[in-house]
Amino acid sequence: MPSVITHLAFAQRYLKNNKQNEIQIAGDFFAGAIFPDIRYFARVQRDLTHQRFEPDLDFSKLNDFEAGWKSHIYLDQRWNAFFDLEIPEFKGDPIAATAIKVIEDRID
């Protein structure tokens, strides 16, 4: 999965390349773009943060935070398809999950 920095870079690039987009408050968009990974700290199941939106870039009828959230889902989907990766979940082991994210950050 892409790291937090990668999600923010993607959101920034989206805003830069789509100047006529419907996003009004960039900060809300950026917050939404990293929100789903709160699950690592909140210790909630991935489905609760990653199954809300279809993985596309249609942000119509969404507020800026939700649009950022949806961009996160989209990038995760594209990332997995591109790298053909399946990283197992480490339920109940926040140290292992954090270690995986640190390794991903270094790769990014």
Side-chain angles (χ1 to χ4, degrees):
M1 295 292 164
S3 70
V4 170
I5 298 301
T6 304
H7 281 292
L8 290 172
F10 179 77
Q12 182 180 36
R13 184 166 289 164
Y14 175 84
L15 292 177
K16 179 181 175 187
N17 293 334
N18 297 282
K19 294 195 185 295
Q20 298 301 322
N21 64 61
E22 57 278 350
I23 305 303
Q24 301 296 312
I25 303 171
D28 288 356
F29 186 69
F30 290 131
I34 62 173
F35 170 74
D37 286 342
I38 193 75
R39 72 189 189 86
Y40 289 106
F41 303 105
R43 301 177 87 182
V44 299
Q45 292 180 352
R46 187 175 195 277
D47 292 352
L48 296 175
T49 60
H50 284 73
Q51 299 298 320
R52 180 168 178 171
F53 302 105
E54 290 298 317
D56 60 42
L57 295 176
D58 176 9
F59 301 143
S60 60
K61 301 179 183 171
L62 298 177
N63 64 42
D64 295 341
F65 181 85
E66 291 171 329
W69 187 345
K70 190 172 183 179
S71 78
H72 180 107
I73 306 306
Y74 173 82
L75 184 58
D76 277 359
Q77 176 82 17
R78 301 293 298 160
W79 187 269
N80 288 342
F82 181 78
F83 287 104
D84 193 26
L85 290 175
E86 283 298 322
I87 296 174
E89 290 295 311
F90 293 93
K91 294 180 175 140
D93 189 350
I95 294 171
T98 302
I100 290 292
K101 290 308 282 180
V102 168
I103 291 167
E104 290 174 345
D105 286 351
R106 296 290 296 163
I107 292 169
D108 287 348

